[in-house]
Amino acid sequence: MSKEEYNPKILGFLCNWCCYAAADAAGVSRYQYPPNLRTIRVMCTGRVDPSFVLRGFVEGADGIFTGG
Amino acid sequence: MGESESLAPEELRERLEKGLAAVSSKKVRMVYGNTAKAIRKEGIFTQEYINGVIEEKLSKAIAGALSAEAEPKTEPEKKSPAAKPAPAAPKAPKQKKAEKAGKKTEPAAKKKTAAPKKASAPKKKTAAKKTTAKKKK
């Protein structure tokens, strides 16, 4: 598999008050971001449990992004 | 994932599942909470001290959880039949609720019966009855 074809699935846990708001603002101002990032809104990054990350990997995610 | 470590996908999955089980086990979480509490109580937040405490307490618990879950994989399956009686447990609270409701209705009935007595009996006696009714509750 060449590097160009590689399209990793990334799971993002975004904080409601900062990162998710930023993503929302980006959407409103019509910026495009890659579709291979699947976002999950959490009310605080402190809500993210280690089990969430491991579960994401088990379910087939190639990377986990935590924004907050 | 796991290609750089030369891990087969199946092995990687197994390891991840073990890690997930270890992370979500109550024992590890309890030990983690206790170590965090101990560090907070001591008030020493240097890297060396924290590493020392973690190595003392957490590493043992994590290693134990990983090794324990690696050997008997059938344990969760055994636990699942035991979980079947769990639905019976909620029934008991319902019964308790019903009993409580019954108890609640009884004092109301007493009050209703006591109401005519209040009219006939002097005020002091009614006060005493009221206090006893409250104690019964």
Side-chain angles (χ1 to χ4, degrees):
Chain A
M1 186 188 288
S2 65
K3 282 185 181 177
E4 289 174 359
E5 288 174 2
Y6 180 59
N7 202 11
K9 288 178 188 173
I10 296 169
L11 183 66
F13 292 101
L14 311 184
C15 167
N16 180 55
W17 308 106
C18 37
C19 201
Y20 190 83
D24 193 33
V28 167
S29 43
R30 296 179 182 179
Y31 283 102
Q32 285 189 349
Y33 49 90
N36 54 356
L37 172 70
R38 304 293 166 91
T39 60
I40 294 174
R41 182 173 67 101
V42 286
M43 292 308 286
C44 177
T45 325
R47 176 71 179 83
V48 178
D49 194 79
S51 63
F52 295 173
V53 177
L54 287 170
R55 181 86 185 274
F57 282 129
V58 168
E59 296 292 333
D62 295 307
I64 307 288
F65 167 73
T66 311
Chain B
M1 249 181 85
E3 282 179 15
S4 56
E5 292 89 3
S6 67
L7 283 170
E10 290 171 4
E11 196 183 341
L12 181 72
R13 196 181 183 83
E14 276 180 17
R15 285 190 181 190
L16 281 170
E17 280 173 359
K18 279 177 196 172
L20 184 60
V23 160
S24 53
S25 73
K26 280 183 185 176
K27 279 183 185 177
V28 174
R29 281 174 172 260
M30 283 283 287
V31 173
Y32 175 76
N34 288 331
T35 47
K37 207 189 283 179
I39 290 166
R40 208 189 310 148
K41 275 186 180 177
E42 289 292 323
I44 305 163
F45 300 105
T46 56
Q47 194 69 43
E48 291 169 3
Y49 177 75
I50 290 168
N51 285 344
V53 171
I54 286 168
E55 277 176 22
E56 270 181 29
K57 295 178 181 178
L58 256 180
S59 58
K60 284 179 187 175
I62 291 168
L66 285 171
S67 63
E69 283 147 16
E71 290 166 4
K73 270 195 170 183
T74 53
E75 274 188 17
E77 290 170 7
K78 285 177 184 175
K79 283 178 184 176
S80 60
K84 284 181 182 177
K91 286 178 184 176
K94 282 181 184 175
Q95 287 174 352
K96 284 180 183 177
K97 281 179 184 176
E99 286 171 11
K100 282 179 184 177
K103 282 178 183 177
K104 281 178 184 176
T105 53
E106 282 172 14
K110 281 178 185 176
K111 281 178 185 176
K112 282 178 185 175
T113 53
K117 284 179 184 176
K118 281 178 188 174
S120 60
K123 286 178 183 177
K124 286 180 183 177
K125 284 181 181 178
T126 53
K129 280 178 185 175
K130 279 180 182 176
T131 52
T132 51
K134 283 177 182 177
K135 282 176 184 176
K136 280 178 184 176
K137 281 178 184 177

